[in-house]
């Protein structure tokens, strides 16, 4: 009997959840528990870590999971690596949902750096006004460049003092719009935009807004993830499960 574990936390995972639900497939949606009130999903939902690879192997056995879909964010490298190792050791088939990385187009002024760690060094020395749209997990890196005014966009209010002397915090959860991001950048007189190469649609607006305003973007490339069984879309994953998305069970 098929039972799917869907590792979520992205727009595409939400789309995957709807397809699984519509096909009547027994599936559970998994959030890490990073945000206070995650978007509800049509599937039964679990929240929180598994307890590393060993914890995930135990979960797969206990819940009799027959397939795992890794639809986590391209920067959720820890989860993807754990899922790969646990599924390999437990002999459970795994597919990773891979959204295409963004590529610069005409009018874009992007500086690509290998990882988030290299972003502060790519910022100018004279004081600038930087839109930091990378969430809050790596904010500490920017304490190396305290001279800038940072505008931070977070999902939840920070629970601790931010390590930046000159910062404005905006609370918002995506997906975002170009108009909204143009207005935000104008209102805060942004001179530089910082982003992760997340791909997908939910975080794309700020790049189009930056192009509209002729602003430079400093972007971190995504980590290399294990496993070569990947899918670029919901229908491909459903076919991998042996279900045609539009035919249902
Ligand atoms: C907890 C689930 C949906 C999913 C929506 C996508 C789109 C909007 C854009 C900006 C960039 C950022 C951040 C972002 C986006 C979608 C998607 C995406 C970027 C939620 C969610 C969870 C998270 C975790 C959160 C991280 C943070 C990253 C904010 C829910 C809303 C910056 C990534 O406060 C924290 O600790 C936040 C942590 C991981 C990155 C970071 O390092 O701080 N996402 N985001 C998931 C869980 O618990 O498992 O609350 O509903 C999901 C979404 N965030 O169904 O509509 O699919 O990417 N999320 C980035 O891309 O750079 C915001 O502001 O422009
Ligand atoms: P991460 O660094 O890759 O993973 C750290 C640990 O968090 C994992 O080892 C696991 O804990 C737990 N975890 C992560 N995703 C989980 C999930 N979907 N279900 C259950 N446990 C999970 O993760 P992250 O980058 O902090 O991302 C956390 C969540 O936010 C993910 O759902 C991801 O899709 C979403 N998200 C992340 C980003 C981003 O920029 N990183 C952007 C948008 C959405 P254990 O080891 O205890 O199992």
């Amino acid at each position: 009997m098929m039972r799917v574990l869907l590792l979520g936390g992205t727009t595409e995972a939400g789309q995957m959840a709807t397809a699984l639900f519509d096909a009547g497939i027994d599936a559970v949606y998994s959030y890490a528990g990073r945000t206070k009130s995650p978007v509800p999903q049509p599937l039964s939902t679990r929240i929180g870590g598994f307890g590393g690879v060993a914890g995930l192997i135990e979960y797969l056995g206990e819940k009799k999971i027959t397939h795992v879909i890794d639809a986590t964010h391209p920067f959720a490298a820890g989860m993807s690596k754990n899922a790969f190792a646990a599924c390999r050791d437990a002999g459970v088939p795994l597919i990773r949902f891979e959204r295409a990385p963004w590529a610069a187009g005409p009018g874009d002024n992007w500086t690509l750096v290998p990882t988030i760690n290299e972003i502060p060094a790519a910022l100018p020395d004279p004081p600038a006004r930087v839109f930091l749209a990378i969430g809050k997990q790596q904010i500490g890196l920017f304490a190396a460049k305290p001279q800038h005014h940072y505008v931070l966009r977070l999902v939840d209010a920070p629970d601790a003092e931010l390590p930046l002397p000159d910062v404005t915090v905006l609370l918002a959860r995506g997906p975002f719009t170009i108009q909204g991001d143009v207005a935000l950048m104008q209102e805060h007189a942004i001179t530089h935009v910082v982003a992760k190469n997340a791909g997908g649609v939910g975080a794309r607006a700020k790049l189009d807004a930056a192009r509209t305003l002729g602003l430079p973007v400093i972007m971190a490339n995504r980590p290399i993830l294990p496993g070569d069984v990947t899918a670029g879309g919901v229908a491909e994953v459903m076919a991998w499960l042996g279900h045609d998305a539009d035919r249902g069970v």
Side-chain angles (χ1 to χ4, degrees):
M1 184 57 194
M2 179 179 280
R3 169 173 282 185
V4 175
L5 170 63
L6 173 57
L7 299 173
T10 59
T11 302
E12 289 76 10
Q15 295 161 354
M16 204 60 244
T18 302
L20 291 165
F21 176 76
D22 291 348
I25 295 173
D26 180 5
V28 58
Y29 189 106
S30 181
Y31 276 121
R34 275 269 181 285
T35 53
K36 289 192 173 50
S37 49
V39 167
Q41 297 294 340
L43 302 173
S44 72
T45 299
R46 65 172 297 289
I47 298 185
F50 295 96
V53 175
L56 180 49
I57 290 173
E58 202 177 312
Y59 180 88
L60 295 174
E62 259 168 33
K63 301 292 181 187
K64 299 184 176 38
I65 299 294
T66 60
H67 295 77
V68 176
I69 302 169
D70 176 1
T72 59
H73 190 273
F75 281 75
M79 186 69 253
S80 294
K81 286 174 183 166
N82 285 4
F84 178 77
C87 290
R88 178 198 56 204
D89 295 356
V92 175
L94 164 71
I95 192 165
R96 179 157 49 82
F97 201 113
E98 180 130 290
R99 45 196 198 183
W102 294 316
D108 284 332
N109 171 7
W110 294 5
T111 302
L112 291 173
V113 295
T115 73
I116 298 264
N117 298 320
E118 285 79 35
I119 291 186
L123 286 171
D125 285 333
R129 297 179 63 82
V130 181
F131 179 42
L132 266 191
I134 54 167
K136 77 178 174 209
Q137 296 183 83
Q138 277 110 356
I139 294 306
L141 291 170
F142 296 88
K145 291 272 179 96
Q147 68 269 38
H148 302 310
H149 176 77
Y150 291 101
V151 175
L152 239 51
R153 177 154 65 190
L154 300 177
V155 179
D156 297 315
D159 29 25
E161 185 69 20
L162 290 169
L164 303 172
D166 185 3
V167 60
T168 301
V169 175
L170 306 174
L171 294 185
R173 68 172 51 228
F176 303 102
T177 63
I178 301 175
Q179 300 83 335
D181 281 2
V182 166
L184 181 157
M185 294 179 195
Q186 288 174 321
E187 184 188 340
H188 294 275
I190 297 299
T191 60
H192 294 74
V193 174
V194 167
K196 300 173 176 174
N197 197 335
V201 294
R204 161 99 238 171
K206 59 184 170 289
L207 305 177
D208 299 324
R211 184 194 308 120
T212 303
L213 297 170
L215 296 178
V217 174
I218 299 163
M219 185 182 295
N221 286 331
R222 55 181 57 178
I224 308 290
L225 300 176
D228 49 12
V229 180
T230 61
V234 169
E236 213 178 320
V237 176
M238 295 305 280
W240 176 76
L241 288 174
H243 282 258
D244 294 339
D246 52 4
R247 208 167 39 81
V249 188

